[in-house]
Amino acid sequence: MTTLIARTVSKACLPIIILFSVSLLLAGHDNPGGGFIGGVMFATAVSLMYVVFGLNYIEALYNNNWDKWFGIGLLVASLTGIGAMLFGYNFLRSMSIYATLPLVGSTKIISTTFFDIGVYLVVIGGLLYIFKSMGEDK
Amino acid sequence: MDPFTAITLAVFLPFILAAILPAVEKVLKGNIGWYASAVSFLSLLLIALAAPEIIHGGTIQKSVEWLPSMGIDFSFYMDGLSIMFGFIVSGIAVIIMSYSNGYMSKKEDLARYYQQLLFFMGSMLGMVFSANLLQLFIFWELTSITSFMLIGYWRNRPMSVYGATKSLLVTAGGGVFMLAGFLVLNIITGTFDLVTIMNDPSIIANIKAHDLFLPALVLILIGAASKSAQGPFYIWLPNAMEAPTPVSAFLHSATMVKAGIYLIARIHPIFSGTEAWFILVSGLGIITMLAAGFLAFRQTDIKGLLAYSTISQLAYMVAMYGYTTYQYPGIGVASATFHLLNHATFKACLFLVAGIVAHETATRDISKMGGLRKEMPITFVIGTIAALSMAGVPPLNGFLSKEMFYESSLEMGHLLGGPFEILIPLFAVLGGVFTFAYSIKFIDGIFLGKRRSRVLPKHIHEPSLVMLVPPALLSAIVILIGLFPSVAVQYIIEPASSAILLEDVHLHVSLWHGFTTALLMTVITFIAGIALYKRYDAIAAWQNRFNEIHPRFSVNYVYDSIVDGAKGKSKSFAAFMQPGPLKPYLVSMLLLFLFLGAVPAILVASVIIPANMEFGISFYEGLLLAIMVVSALGAAILKKYLHAIIAVSALGYIISLVFIYMRAPDLAMTQILVETLLTIIFLLVIVKVPQTFTEKIGRSVLVRDLLISSAVFATILVLLMNAFQGIASPFESISYYFIENSLPLAQGRNMVNVILVDFRGFDTLGEIVVISLAGLGVYNLIKSRSDDT
C-alpha cells in the first residue's frame, strides 16, 4: 500500500490534471496542446489513481472498462468527417465560425475541435484499456 | 411504376427487408418464415411488373453514375434472359421459403437462416440484372458468400464446415478467374458495359480477331464452370448437400449453380460462332454430363444422388449452349434455355421430396429406404412425376427439352459431319441413359419394393401441408409445361432465346411431332436405360471397389492434398516469419533499414561526410547529451530490469528536455506524458517476471549485435549530419507549406495540431483506429493467454 502522502497528493492532483487536460484539448488549435496530448494526460491522471489506490479500490468507486470511450471517440471523429459531407464538402473538411458565447465572449468555434474531442476520447479509452487489462492480468 | 424502379426494388428490397428481419422475428417468432416468403413474393411481383415490356421483345437499360473517374456505372439491364432468371429465382424462392416453415425446426436460428436466404436471393437477382461486368462480379461473389454461409448453416458439424469451405474456395476462387477474364475483355474493348459490347457487331468482330480472345474466353469459362460445378470443379456440389435441404433445392439445384449457365448464355453473343467456343463449352459439357451421370451410381445419399444428377443436367445445358458453327451460332440455345427452366422446376421439386423423405425417416441413406409408397402416397406421386420428368418421360416437361437436346445434337453432328455425325448424338443418348437410370433409382430406391432396413422409424406418415403443397405446386408446373408448352415457350423461352441470339426466335414445341430421329433416340434411351438399371447395383459396387483400390484417382484427393498441404506450409511459414522473441524482428528491421538507408547513400553520394561541418554545442546541450549517453549505456548494461527501466525512462525525460530546449512545447509535453505512462506499464509487467536479466548471450551473437547497432548508428549520424547541413534534397520541403497555410487555411496557430486534425486529419483518423485496435489486441493477448493456463 502506498503512503498517506502519495494518496493525499494524488487526490489533490487528480482534478487539476483533468482540468488541465481539458484545457489542453480545447486550446490545442492555437496554443500548445490538442486531443492527443490532452488524452494522454487524462490517462496518466487515471493511471496515477490506479497505481496509488489499487485497481479494486478504484473499481469500487467507478467501474469502467474504457472500451466504450474509444468506441464513442471513433464515432465522434467519424461523424465530424461525415458532418462536412452533409454540407457538400469533402470528408473531414474543416469549418470555423466566430460566435459570442455567454461568459466566454467572442470565441472561435472550429469543427476540428470535435474531431479532436474524438481523438481525446480514443486516446484515453485506448491507453487505459491497455493499462487496465495489463493491471488485471494475474 | 417504371420497369427500372421495379427491378431496382426487386433487387434491393430483399437486402433491406432482411436487415430488419431479426427485429421482425421478435414479433412473429417461429412464423418468421412467412415474412421471408412475403418478401420473395414481393420481388416476384415487382419482376412481373417489369416483365410485359421485355416479353414483347424490348430491352431496358438504365445506369446510375458509380465510379465516374473510372468510367464505371451502376447499371441494370433487362432482357428476356434476365427476366427468365428473375422469375426462376424469385418464384422458386417463394416456394422454398414457404416450405422451410415446415422443414426447419422452430428451435433453429431461424433469423439467420431466412436472412441469409434473402441476402442470397437479392444477390442472385442483382447478378442477373447487372449490365456492368464489375457489378456482375460483385453480385456473383455475394452469391458465393451467402452460399458458403448457408452450406455451413449447422456450424458445429465438421462436414458442414468442410463443405462450406470447399464451395467457397472453388466458387469464389473461380470468380477471381472470371474477374481476370472480364479485365482482359476490358483491355480488348475498353469498356465494362456488357450491353455496349453485345450490341455492337464491330466490337464483337474485334474481340474474335484479337490475340487475347482465347485467354478471355478460358478465364471466364473457368468462373462459369466453377460456379456450375462443371468439369473438375464439380467436387464442391456433393459436399454442399450438407446444407439444409431447402437450401440445396434453392441454391444448389435451381438457382445459384445456374449462375454459371447464365454467364455462358450471357457471353454467348460475344464468343459463340467460333471453334474455341464449341470445343471448350460443348467439350466441357459432354465430358461432365457423362462423368457425373456415371458417378451418380454409387451415391447412397439421396441428396448426393440428386447433386450428381444436377451436375449432369447442368452439363446438358452447357453442351447445348456450346453447339455452334460459324453460320449457325446458336444451334442449341433455345433447347438449353428450355431445359434450364424445366430443370429448375423438376429438380427443386425432387429436392423438396428428398427433404420430406429425410425429414420423416430421419435418414438420407437410400439403401435403408424402400416401400415408402404405402406410408406417403402423395409424396410418392409428386416425387415420381418429378423424377420421370428428369428421365425424359412424356408428357412431362423434361421429355420436351430432352427431345430438343437430341435434335440439336443431331443437327450439330450433321453440320460438323464426319465421325461427329454419329459421335455427338451418341454421347447425348448415353447421357440420357445415365439420367434415366439414376432417375429410376430415385423412385425405386425410395418408394417401391420392400423396406431394406429396420432402423427407420415405425410410424412414417405424410408431412404437413406446409411441406407438401410447395413440391405439389412444382410438380403441377412440370405437368402443365409438359402438356401445354406453348405458354412457357412463348412468354419465357422465346424472349430469353431472342436475347441470347440477338434476333427474333420462334419455336414450335409440342408433345407430338411425328416419328423423328429424336423420338427414336428417346426410345433407345428408355430401352438402354432399363437395361442399365438392371445392372445398377453391380456398377455401383464396381465403382466402390475401384475407389478403394485407387484412392488417389479422384479430384477430391487432389483438392484435399492441396488444402491440407497449404495448411502445413502456412504453419511452417508462420513459424519462420514469427519466431516469437523480439530480437529477430528487431534485427531484420534494422538490417532492412541499413539496406535501404546506408547502401544507397554509399552508392550515390560522392561525399558522405560534409566537408565543412560546424559543431556549435552549447554547455546545456552538451550536458543533456552526456546524461543521455550515460542513461542509454545504463539501459544496455544494467542487469536488473528495474534499474534498466529507470535508465530508459531517464533517457526519455532527457529527450523531452531537449525538445524544450529546441522550443517544441507540444513534443516535450507529449514526450513527458508518454514516458510516464510507459514507465508505469513497464513496471506493471516487470512485477510478473524474474527481476534479473539472466539470458546468456554468446560471444558471436554479441559481436553481430554490436556490428549491426554500430552500423545503424553510423548511418543515422551521417544522415543527420547531411540533413543538418541542408544538403540539397531532391524534393522541396513541405514544412513551408504548413507554416504559411496553417493560419489562413485552417484558422489555427498551433501548426502541429493543425496538421494533426486538419491537413492530415484522415491520417489521424486512421491512427486513432490503430489505437483502438491495439487496445483490443493487447486485451485479447492477455485474456487468451490466461485462458490457456
Side-chain angles (χ1 to χ4, degrees):
Chain A
M1 199 56 196
T2 40
T3 60
L4 181 64
I5 301 174
R7 272 176 279 159
T8 316
V9 170
S10 54
K11 256 187 200 167
C13 282
L14 182 73
I16 301 174
I17 304 178
I18 288 179
L19 275 179
F20 186 47
S21 89
V22 174
S23 91
L24 278 178
L25 161 71
L26 295 178
H29 214 55
D30 289 312
N31 297 301
F36 185 78
I37 302 179
V40 181
M41 182 156 283
F42 191 105
T44 39
V46 177
S47 55
L48 180 70
M49 301 311 282
Y50 277 142
V51 169
V52 171
F53 291 95
L55 219 52
N56 297 333
Y57 181 80
I58 301 293
E59 278 189 355
L61 289 175
Y62 176 57
N63 190 7
N64 199 335
N65 266 333
W66 300 107
D67 48 357
K68 280 205 189 71
W69 285 62
F70 61 75
I72 292 169
L74 281 179
L75 193 68
V76 170
S78 327
L79 285 181
T80 313
I82 294 169
M85 291 168 78
L86 293 183
F87 291 95
Y89 295 109
N90 284 337
F91 187 68
L92 276 178
R93 159 88 184 241
S94 71
M95 283 160 73
S96 64
I97 49 165
Y98 284 87
T100 312
L101 297 180
L103 296 177
V104 190
S106 176
T107 316
K108 180 173 72 182
I109 298 175
I110 185 156
S111 65
T112 50
T113 306
F114 296 103
F115 184 73
D116 235 2
I117 291 173
V119 174
Y120 182 73
L121 294 176
V122 171
V123 170
I124 295 173
L127 289 178
L128 288 174
Y129 192 63
I130 295 176
F131 194 81
K132 195 164 162 246
S133 28
M134 291 192 132
E136 278 173 343
D137 185 35
K138 296 289 168 322
Chain B
M1 197 185 311
D2 75 303
F4 179 74
T5 320
I7 293 297
T8 313
L9 285 176
V11 171
F12 287 110
L13 271 184
F15 285 104
I16 297 164
L17 295 175
I20 61 163
L21 191 139
V24 182
E25 198 210 8
K26 296 238 158 56
V27 183
L28 291 179
K29 302 262 165 38
N31 294 321
I32 186 67
W34 296 110
Y35 169 76
S37 319
V39 173
S40 38
F41 189 66
L42 186 64
S43 281
L44 178 65
L45 276 185
L46 286 165
I47 293 169
L49 268 180
E53 204 177 326
I54 311 297
I55 285 171
H56 294 108
T59 60
I60 297 164
Q61 185 183 13
K62 207 159 177 187
S63 312
V64 180
E65 214 171 55
W66 183 20
L67 299 171
S69 56
M70 295 175 69
I72 295 170
D73 289 340
F74 190 91
S75 177
F76 276 140
Y77 176 66
M78 281 148 269
D79 62 359
L81 182 65
S82 45
I83 282 288
M84 177 179 84
F85 266 91
F87 275 128
I88 293 180
V89 171
S90 53
I92 304 264
V94 176
I95 288 173
I96 298 298
M97 308 244 187
S98 312
Y99 175 89
S100 298
N101 283 305
Y103 185 84
M104 296 300 281
S105 154
K106 300 262 187 278
K107 288 177 212 134
E108 300 275 2
D109 185 355
L110 291 176
R112 179 160 61 92
Y113 175 77
Y114 287 110
Q115 205 171 18
Q116 289 169 357
L117 274 181
L118 286 177
F119 279 146
F120 166 76
M121 188 182 79
S123 332
M124 192 72 199
L125 289 175
M127 195 207 73
V128 296
F129 289 115
S130 291
N132 182 298
L133 287 173
L134 291 183
Q135 181 191 337
L136 189 151
F137 168 75
I138 291 172
F139 280 119
W140 174 281
E141 294 294 53
L142 271 178
T143 63
S144 290
I145 293 167
T146 41
S147 151
F148 161 75
M149 293 195 290
L150 283 165
I151 295 170
Y153 176 74
W154 285 304
R155 298 170 187 170
N156 39 11
R157 295 188 190 170
M159 279 317 283
S160 297
V161 175
Y162 175 77
T165 316
K166 201 175 194 177
S167 81
L168 186 71
L169 285 177
V170 175
T171 58
V176 177
F177 281 92
M178 183 185 81
L179 177 65
F182 289 166
L183 292 177
V184 174
L185 210 54
N186 181 49
I187 292 171
I188 304 175
T189 61
T191 177
F192 281 114
D193 192 70
L194 196 61
V195 185
T196 312
I197 303 176
M198 252 164 40
N199 289 332
D200 191 339
S202 69
I203 294 183
I204 293 178
N206 182 24
I207 294 173
K208 284 180 181 164
H210 204 279
D211 288 341
L212 289 172
F213 171 81
L214 202 58
L217 176 59
V218 170
L219 287 169
I220 295 175
L221 280 183
I222 289 177
S226 66
K227 197 84 168 183
S228 287
Q230 298 297 297
F233 303 111
Y234 82 90
I235 51 168
W236 70 268
L237 194 58
N239 288 103
M241 294 299 125
E242 295 301 325
T245 306
V247 172
S248 309
F250 186 27
L251 273 72
H252 306 124
S253 80
T255 57
M256 188 190 100
V257 286
K258 294 216 168 67
I261 311 291
Y262 168 79
L263 187 69
I264 290 177
R266 201 26 110 203
I267 61 168
H268 189 278
I270 305 174
F271 289 100
S272 72
T274 56
E275 274 177 30
W277 178 266
F278 169 69
I279 295 170
L280 288 172
V281 179
S282 280
L284 180 74
I286 288 173
I287 292 171
T288 312
M289 170 178 80
L290 296 179
F294 182 65
L295 287 174
F297 281 57
R298 63 180 279 253
Q299 296 303 314
T300 51
D301 174 6
I302 41 176
K303 284 178 74 182
L305 179 74
L306 291 179
Y308 277 92
S309 79
T310 304
I311 299 169
S312 77
Q313 296 293 310
L314 293 172
Y316 279 30
M317 299 164 213
V318 174
M320 283 189 266
Y321 278 123
Y323 289 162
T324 187
T325 62
Y326 184 70
Q327 252 182 327
Y328 305 97
I331 293 164
V333 165
S335 3
T337 313
F338 194 27
H339 195 60
L340 197 157
L341 176 71
N342 295 340
H343 177 252
T345 55
F346 67 67
K347 188 51 66 65
C349 181
L350 281 174
F351 265 107
L352 296 185
V353 168
I356 291 175
V357 171
H359 198 261
E360 300 302 325
T361 62
T363 177
R364 278 165 35 191
D365 192 341
I366 202 167
S367 59
K368 291 180 186 151
M369 297 174 185
L372 285 176
R373 70 180 182 284
K374 287 172 203 143
E375 282 103 332
M376 21 176 54
I378 305 176
T379 314
F380 165 59
V381 172
I382 297 171
T384 308
I385 290 170
L388 288 180
S389 175
M390 178 157 78
V393 174
L396 305 166
N397 60 0
F399 165 71
L400 296 173
S401 47
K402 184 72 69 63
E403 287 274 278
M404 288 167 76
F405 172 48
Y406 289 159
E407 273 167 23
S408 56
S409 301
L410 279 170
E411 195 182 344
M412 186 66 212
H414 180 67
L415 284 170
L416 282 178
F420 291 105
E421 191 147 11
I422 306 290
L423 272 180
I424 291 181
L426 186 72
F427 287 145
V429 170
L430 200 55
V433 171
F434 286 145
T435 305
F436 187 85
Y438 61 64
S439 304
I440 298 301
K441 176 73 182 172
F442 186 85
I443 303 169
D444 187 28
I446 298 176
F447 297 109
L448 301 180
K450 278 198 191 116
R451 189 68 48 84
R452 278 184 277 280
S453 165
R454 290 204 196 100
V455 285
L456 293 194
K458 283 263 162 56
H459 300 288
I460 298 171
H461 49 79
E462 290 282 3
S464 62
L465 277 181
V466 178
M467 285 173 76
L468 212 50
V469 172
L473 213 60
L474 283 170
S475 65
I477 296 174
V478 166
I479 300 174
L480 282 178
I481 297 181
L483 290 177
F484 311 105
S486 53
V487 180
V489 166
Q490 193 185 341
Y491 289 107
I492 298 178
I493 306 304
E494 281 180 1
S497 309
S498 311
I500 300 170
L501 292 172
L502 303 174
E503 61 185 24
D504 276 347
V505 175
H506 291 288
L507 291 172
H508 300 284
V509 181
S510 54
L511 263 180
W512 177 252
H513 38 263
F515 291 102
T516 56
T517 326
L519 191 65
L520 178 70
M521 287 162 77
T522 304
V523 174
I524 296 173
T525 307
F526 291 164
I527 295 167
I530 292 167
L532 186 69
Y533 186 69
K534 291 229 154 40
R535 316 223 356 108
Y536 194 97
D537 293 330
I539 296 172
W542 178 82
Q543 285 178 351
N544 281 329
R545 267 204 313 282
F546 182 85
N547 225 37
E548 268 166 35
I549 302 166
H550 306 283
R552 288 168 174 238
F553 195 74
S554 84
V555 188
N556 275 314
Y557 177 80
V558 177
Y559 168 85
D560 286 337
S561 53
I562 290 175
V563 171
D564 292 343
K567 278 182 197 157
K569 290 273 189 332
S570 61
K571 212 171 206 170
S572 53
F573 181 75
F576 171 73
M577 290 300 285
Q578 308 282 351
L582 281 178
K583 204 174 186 181
Y585 299 103
L586 207 54
V587 167
S588 49
M589 270 152 61
L590 290 178
L591 284 178
L592 185 70
F593 166 74
L594 282 179
F595 180 71
L596 294 176
V599 174
I602 293 169
L603 289 179
V604 174
S606 50
V607 189
I608 291 174
I609 297 175
N612 49 343
M613 291 288 293
E614 287 174 25
F615 289 105
I617 295 179
S618 72
F619 171 70
Y620 295 110
E621 277 176 298
L623 190 66
L624 288 177
L625 284 176
I627 305 175
M628 277 166 73
V629 171
V630 171
S631 42
L633 275 176
I637 294 169
L638 288 172
K639 281 266 183 276
K640 280 207 178 238
Y641 279 131
L642 186 61
H643 301 167
I645 287 167
I646 291 172
V648 171
S649 324
L651 181 59
Y653 286 120
I654 303 293
I655 291 176
S656 69
L657 278 181
V658 174
F659 286 144
I660 292 173
Y661 189 79
M662 304 273 185
R663 300 194 201 99
D666 274 288
L667 289 182
M669 264 197 285
T670 314
Q671 178 73 23
I672 292 175
L673 290 168
V674 169
E675 208 55 50
T676 310
L677 262 185
L678 266 185
T679 309
I680 300 177
I681 290 178
F682 262 139
L683 291 175
L684 281 179
V685 176
I686 220 71
V687 293
K688 286 159 195 149
V689 296
Q691 301 293 303
T692 314
F693 185 79
T694 49
E695 196 190 334
K696 282 267 177 286
I697 299 175
R699 192 164 288 271
S700 60
V701 176
L702 203 62
V703 170
R704 184 200 69 181
D705 292 354
L706 268 177
L707 272 177
I708 294 174
S709 0
S710 322
V712 170
F713 164 73
T715 313
I716 291 178
L717 184 69
V718 170
L719 286 178
L720 279 179
M721 281 197 294
N722 280 289
F724 188 70
Q725 287 294 308
I727 302 293
S729 63
F731 312 104
E732 197 187 335
S733 169
I734 198 171
S735 356
Y736 302 109
Y737 173 83
F738 291 131
I739 293 170
E740 280 162 17
N741 288 314
S742 79
L743 192 56
L745 284 186
Q747 281 87 34
R749 284 194 186 77
N750 179 357
M751 206 177 79
V752 176
N753 184 262
V754 168
I755 292 176
L756 280 178
V757 297
D758 201 327
F759 288 130
R760 292 286 160 84
F762 225 134
D763 289 2
T764 308
L765 190 62
E767 278 153 20
I768 57 177
V769 173
V770 169
I771 293 181
S772 314
L773 289 180
L776 292 173
V778 169
Y779 178 83
N780 281 318
L781 270 179
I782 289 172
K783 292 294 165 191
S784 65
R785 196 190 47 128
S786 37
D787 283 352
D788 288 347
T789 50

